[in-house]
Amino acid sequence: MKQVFANARLILPDEEQPKAGRLVVDGDRIAMADDSSDHDPGESIDCKGRLLAPGIVDLGVFAIDKPAFHYGGITRAALMPDQAPVLDLPAIIKHNAVEGKPDLWSHPIAAATKGLEGKQLAEIGLMKRSGAKAVATGRQWIADSGLMLKLMQYCRSLDLPLIVHSEDAGLTAGAVATNGETATRLGLSSATAAAEAVSIARDIALVRETGAHVHFRQVTTKDGLDLICAAKADNLPVTCGITPAHLLLSDIAINDFRTFTRLSPPLRSEEDRLACITAIKDGTIDVIASGHDPRGAEDKRLPYAEAAPGMAGAETLLALSLTLVRDGTISIGRLFELLSTNPAKILDVDAGLLCPAYQADFILVDEDSPWQVDTRKMAAAAGNTPFDGLPVQGRVTAIYKGGRAY
């Protein structure tokens, strides 16, 4: 039976601002999305003027955390291979592909190397047949350039995107912060921000050689973004992403040694943060992802240098990203390209757009609804957010997967 979502403000493809109209769903697919108010036969749902947007596609989470994803409007999550066990076998890929059902699409990402040890290529072809939509190096950088070349050639032949972590481990070993005044004053072990650019430069050179699509999961420095911009100008198949933490926080946030700000890559200088904002505006950055990595007290209630990196980002992803719209940095249409459309394209799934024949995965949003981030009240498996106590705006009021409300 058809469902008609009327009186909505639709985020339509190639439109910067919402358009008043309706969304028609037939089964689990979108039948129509336009600015018409014509009546269609079927069950009618009044959206009460709320924003109706594509469901968020979160590219590169470290845990399937359904309550947090539901709260944050995430209908699809691409799971990084850093799991126990590592996602390096076809059977493990199959198992994780059904983990989120029925209320979430889970897309496990295949490990690039066996055990993510960076020594021997995993059975990528078999994992693709089992449902893997991408390959990733995990939290680690592959130092062996010969192995990286073979990996890119393999991914290119299989038409799979390769998601990479961009920090030269030879420069960052043991570091928990970025070189600068803050790290020096706090006495924290630190590494040069150039570790990111060195890593990116090597991988771009190999992209030129192989033609593989490489997605740099987090690019957080001006020098790294300049390299990505130049590669795109040369029409190389590269894309890159970032998290709200690196857009909204600089290394000043680690002043009180609060381990919720212990991230990988670490927070950068204010100059780099502003360069990231510019890269969001000019299109250099393709994806905003949560980097969702819930860590409990056993990982975070430790001295800063001993705490595990990571943040619980799923349920704050939309509200924090809407800050970019309210500040006039980007339009709301561009925001959902970053949150939904582009990550869906990278994964090659028919989602992320309100278009006929696409999966009916969408959310209703009250973008002005105020709330406060509170680690004690978060739906996530753990509340390790660096934004604890921050007032934000924007709540998901309903979430639909395949045309069904969850």
Side-chain angles (χ1 to χ4, degrees), residues 55-72:
I56 294 172
V57 181
D58 200 354
L59 183 57
V61 303
F62 290 90
I64 295 299
D65 193 350
K66 289 195 280 187
F69 295 159
H70 185 274
Y71 191 96

PDB file of all heavy atoms in Angstrom, residues 55-72:
ATOM      1  N   GLY A  55      17.737   9.507   5.087  1.00  0.00           N
ATOM      2  CA  GLY A  55      18.368   8.953   6.278  1.00  0.00           C
ATOM      3  C   GLY A  55      19.876   9.118   6.201  1.00  0.00           C
ATOM      4  O   GLY A  55      20.486   9.050   5.130  1.00  0.00           O
ATOM      5  N   ILE A  56      20.490   9.346   7.346  1.00  0.00           N
ATOM      6  CA  ILE A  56      21.943   9.554   7.388  1.00  0.00           C
ATOM      7  C   ILE A  56      22.668   8.224   7.153  1.00  0.00           C
ATOM      8  O   ILE A  56      22.296   7.185   7.695  1.00  0.00           O
ATOM      9  CB  ILE A  56      22.351  10.164   8.736  1.00  0.00           C
ATOM     10  CG1 ILE A  56      21.763  11.581   8.858  1.00  0.00           C
ATOM     11  CG2 ILE A  56      23.867  10.212   8.895  1.00  0.00           C
ATOM     12  CD1 ILE A  56      21.942  12.213  10.216  1.00  0.00           C
ATOM     13  N   VAL A  57      23.703   8.283   6.325  1.00  0.00           N
ATOM     14  CA  VAL A  57      24.549   7.122   6.036  1.00  0.00           C
ATOM     15  C   VAL A  57      25.890   7.382   6.719  1.00  0.00           C
ATOM     16  O   VAL A  57      26.670   8.219   6.257  1.00  0.00           O
ATOM     17  CB  VAL A  57      24.718   6.920   4.516  1.00  0.00           C
ATOM     18  CG1 VAL A  57      25.585   5.688   4.234  1.00  0.00           C
ATOM     19  CG2 VAL A  57      23.356   6.797   3.828  1.00  0.00           C
ATOM     20  N   ASP A  58      26.144   6.710   7.816  1.00  0.00           N
ATOM     21  CA  ASP A  58      27.320   6.986   8.647  1.00  0.00           C
ATOM     22  C   ASP A  58      28.475   6.099   8.193  1.00  0.00           C
ATOM     23  O   ASP A  58      28.478   4.888   8.418  1.00  0.00           O
ATOM     24  CB  ASP A  58      26.978   6.745  10.117  1.00  0.00           C
ATOM     25  CG  ASP A  58      27.928   7.456  11.064  1.00  0.00           C
ATOM     26  OD1 ASP A  58      28.921   8.034  10.578  1.00  0.00           O
ATOM     27  OD2 ASP A  58      27.679   7.449  12.276  1.00  0.00           O
ATOM     28  N   LEU A  59      29.451   6.725   7.573  1.00  0.00           N
ATOM     29  CA  LEU A  59      30.541   5.997   6.919  1.00  0.00           C
ATOM     30  C   LEU A  59      31.732   5.837   7.859  1.00  0.00           C
ATOM     31  O   LEU A  59      32.505   6.765   8.077  1.00  0.00           O
ATOM     32  CB  LEU A  59      30.970   6.737   5.643  1.00  0.00           C
ATOM     33  CG  LEU A  59      32.046   6.091   4.775  1.00  0.00           C
ATOM     34  CD1 LEU A  59      31.624   4.700   4.340  1.00  0.00           C
ATOM     35  CD2 LEU A  59      32.343   6.951   3.563  1.00  0.00           C
ATOM     36  N   GLY A  60      31.852   4.648   8.459  1.00  0.00           N
ATOM     37  CA  GLY A  60      33.028   4.362   9.274  1.00  0.00           C
ATOM     38  C   GLY A  60      32.785   4.415  10.762  1.00  0.00           C
ATOM     39  O   GLY A  60      33.463   5.148  11.473  1.00  0.00           O
ATOM     40  N   VAL A  61      31.821   3.627  11.262  1.00  0.00           N
ATOM     41  CA  VAL A  61      31.592   3.526  12.706  1.00  0.00           C
ATOM     42  C   VAL A  61      32.373   2.335  13.248  1.00  0.00           C
ATOM     43  O   VAL A  61      32.716   1.414  12.504  1.00  0.00           O
ATOM     44  CB  VAL A  61      30.092   3.393  13.045  1.00  0.00           C
ATOM     45  CG1 VAL A  61      29.310   4.559  12.476  1.00  0.00           C
ATOM     46  CG2 VAL A  61      29.517   2.069  12.521  1.00  0.00           C
ATOM     47  N   PHE A  62      32.623   2.344  14.561  1.00  0.00           N
ATOM     48  CA  PHE A  62      33.397   1.267  15.167  1.00  0.00           C
ATOM     49  C   PHE A  62      32.545   0.339  16.019  1.00  0.00           C
ATOM     50  O   PHE A  62      33.076  -0.589  16.635  1.00  0.00           O
ATOM     51  CB  PHE A  62      34.551   1.855  15.987  1.00  0.00           C
ATOM     52  CG  PHE A  62      35.617   2.477  15.126  1.00  0.00           C
ATOM     53  CD1 PHE A  62      35.550   3.816  14.781  1.00  0.00           C
ATOM     54  CD2 PHE A  62      36.659   1.722  14.633  1.00  0.00           C
ATOM     55  CE1 PHE A  62      36.516   4.397  13.972  1.00  0.00           C
ATOM     56  CE2 PHE A  62      37.639   2.287  13.825  1.00  0.00           C
ATOM     57  CZ  PHE A  62      37.562   3.628  13.487  1.00  0.00           C
ATOM     58  N   ALA A  63      31.240   0.589  16.043  1.00  0.00           N
ATOM     59  CA  ALA A  63      30.325  -0.292  16.773  1.00  0.00           C
ATOM     60  C   ALA A  63      28.926  -0.114  16.203  1.00  0.00           C
ATOM     61  O   ALA A  63      28.537   1.005  15.829  1.00  0.00           O
ATOM     62  CB  ALA A  63      30.326   0.030  18.269  1.00  0.00           C
ATOM     63  N   ILE A  64      28.177  -1.207  16.108  1.00  0.00           N
ATOM     64  CA  ILE A  64      26.763  -1.127  15.759  1.00  0.00           C
ATOM     65  C   ILE A  64      26.009  -0.845  17.061  1.00  0.00           C
ATOM     66  O   ILE A  64      25.945  -1.677  17.955  1.00  0.00           O
ATOM     67  CB  ILE A  64      26.267  -2.434  15.109  1.00  0.00           C
ATOM     68  CG1 ILE A  64      26.976  -2.636  13.773  1.00  0.00           C
ATOM     69  CG2 ILE A  64      24.748  -2.387  14.900  1.00  0.00           C
ATOM     70  CD1 ILE A  64      26.741  -1.553  12.745  1.00  0.00           C
ATOM     71  N   ASP A  65      25.476   0.368  17.151  1.00  0.00           N
ATOM     72  CA  ASP A  65      24.884   0.892  18.388  1.00  0.00           C
ATOM     73  C   ASP A  65      23.490   1.410  18.045  1.00  0.00           C
ATOM     74  O   ASP A  65      23.278   2.608  17.876  1.00  0.00           O
ATOM     75  CB  ASP A  65      25.787   1.999  18.919  1.00  0.00           C
ATOM     76  CG  ASP A  65      25.473   2.417  20.342  1.00  0.00           C
ATOM     77  OD1 ASP A  65      24.432   1.992  20.867  1.00  0.00           O
ATOM     78  OD2 ASP A  65      26.274   3.173  20.919  1.00  0.00           O
ATOM     79  N   LYS A  66      22.539   0.486  17.912  1.00  0.00           N
ATOM     80  CA  LYS A  66      21.227   0.836  17.369  1.00  0.00           C
ATOM     81  C   LYS A  66      20.496   1.942  18.126  1.00  0.00           C
ATOM     82  O   LYS A  66      19.908   2.823  17.491  1.00  0.00           O
ATOM     83  CB  LYS A  66      20.358  -0.420  17.233  1.00  0.00           C
ATOM     84  CG  LYS A  66      20.826  -1.336  16.118  1.00  0.00           C
ATOM     85  CD  LYS A  66      19.788  -2.370  15.748  1.00  0.00           C
ATOM     86  CE  LYS A  66      19.780  -3.518  16.723  1.00  0.00           C
ATOM     87  NZ  LYS A  66      18.883  -4.605  16.281  1.00  0.00           N
ATOM     88  N   PRO A  67      20.489   1.961  19.451  1.00  0.00           N
ATOM     89  CA  PRO A  67      19.807   3.079  20.129  1.00  0.00           C
ATOM     90  C   PRO A  67      20.385   4.446  19.756  1.00  0.00           C
ATOM     91  O   PRO A  67      19.642   5.399  19.520  1.00  0.00           O
ATOM     92  CB  PRO A  67      20.015   2.758  21.614  1.00  0.00           C
ATOM     93  CG  PRO A  67      20.204   1.285  21.664  1.00  0.00           C
ATOM     94  CD  PRO A  67      20.950   0.946  20.422  1.00  0.00           C
ATOM     95  N   ALA A  68      21.718   4.541  19.684  1.00  0.00           N
ATOM     96  CA  ALA A  68      22.352   5.806  19.319  1.00  0.00           C
ATOM     97  C   ALA A  68      22.048   6.173  17.874  1.00  0.00           C
ATOM     98  O   ALA A  68      21.782   7.342  17.551  1.00  0.00           O
ATOM     99  CB  ALA A  68      23.859   5.708  19.530  1.00  0.00           C
ATOM    100  N   PHE A  69      22.083   5.176  16.976  1.00  0.00           N
ATOM    101  CA  PHE A  69      21.794   5.448  15.572  1.00  0.00           C
ATOM    102  C   PHE A  69      20.348   5.911  15.389  1.00  0.00           C
ATOM    103  O   PHE A  69      20.067   6.820  14.607  1.00  0.00           O
ATOM    104  CB  PHE A  69      22.057   4.204  14.717  1.00  0.00           C
ATOM    105  CG  PHE A  69      23.496   3.774  14.678  1.00  0.00           C
ATOM    106  CD1 PHE A  69      23.837   2.468  14.332  1.00  0.00           C
ATOM    107  CD2 PHE A  69      24.518   4.646  14.984  1.00  0.00           C
ATOM    108  CE1 PHE A  69      25.160   2.061  14.295  1.00  0.00           C
ATOM    109  CE2 PHE A  69      25.848   4.256  14.951  1.00  0.00           C
ATOM    110  CZ  PHE A  69      26.161   2.954  14.610  1.00  0.00           C
ATOM    111  N   HIS A  70      19.434   5.275  16.105  1.00  0.00           N
ATOM    112  CA  HIS A  70      18.027   5.650  16.007  1.00  0.00           C
ATOM    113  C   HIS A  70      17.827   7.089  16.470  1.00  0.00           C
ATOM    114  O   HIS A  70      17.147   7.884  15.824  1.00  0.00           O
ATOM    115  CB  HIS A  70      17.180   4.688  16.842  1.00  0.00           C
ATOM    116  CG  HIS A  70      15.704   4.918  16.716  1.00  0.00           C
ATOM    117  ND1 HIS A  70      15.033   5.826  17.498  1.00  0.00           N
ATOM    118  CD2 HIS A  70      14.776   4.371  15.887  1.00  0.00           C
ATOM    119  CE1 HIS A  70      13.753   5.833  17.165  1.00  0.00           C
ATOM    120  NE2 HIS A  70      13.577   4.955  16.193  1.00  0.00           N
ATOM    121  N   TYR A  71      18.433   7.439  17.577  1.00  0.00           N
ATOM    122  CA  TYR A  71      18.316   8.794  18.113  1.00  0.00           C
ATOM    123  C   TYR A  71      18.887   9.822  17.130  1.00  0.00           C
ATOM    124  O   TYR A  71      18.364  10.930  16.995  1.00  0.00           O
ATOM    125  CB  TYR A  71      19.046   8.881  19.450  1.00  0.00           C
ATOM    126  CG  TYR A  71      18.782  10.139  20.233  1.00  0.00           C
ATOM    127  CD1 TYR A  71      17.810  10.160  21.236  1.00  0.00           C
ATOM    128  CD2 TYR A  71      19.506  11.295  19.991  1.00  0.00           C
ATOM    129  CE1 TYR A  71      17.565  11.315  21.961  1.00  0.00           C
ATOM    130  CE2 TYR A  71      19.272  12.450  20.708  1.00  0.00           C
ATOM    131  CZ  TYR A  71      18.301  12.459  21.696  1.00  0.00           C
ATOM    132  OH  TYR A  71      18.070  13.610  22.411  1.00  0.00           O
ATOM    133  N   GLY A  72      19.972   9.441  16.441  1.00  0.00           N
ATOM    134  CA  GLY A  72      20.657  10.377  15.556  1.00  0.00           C
ATOM    135  C   GLY A  72      20.172  10.394  14.125  1.00  0.00           C
ATOM    136  O   GLY A  72      20.703  11.149  13.303  1.00  0.00           O
TER     137      GLY A  72
END
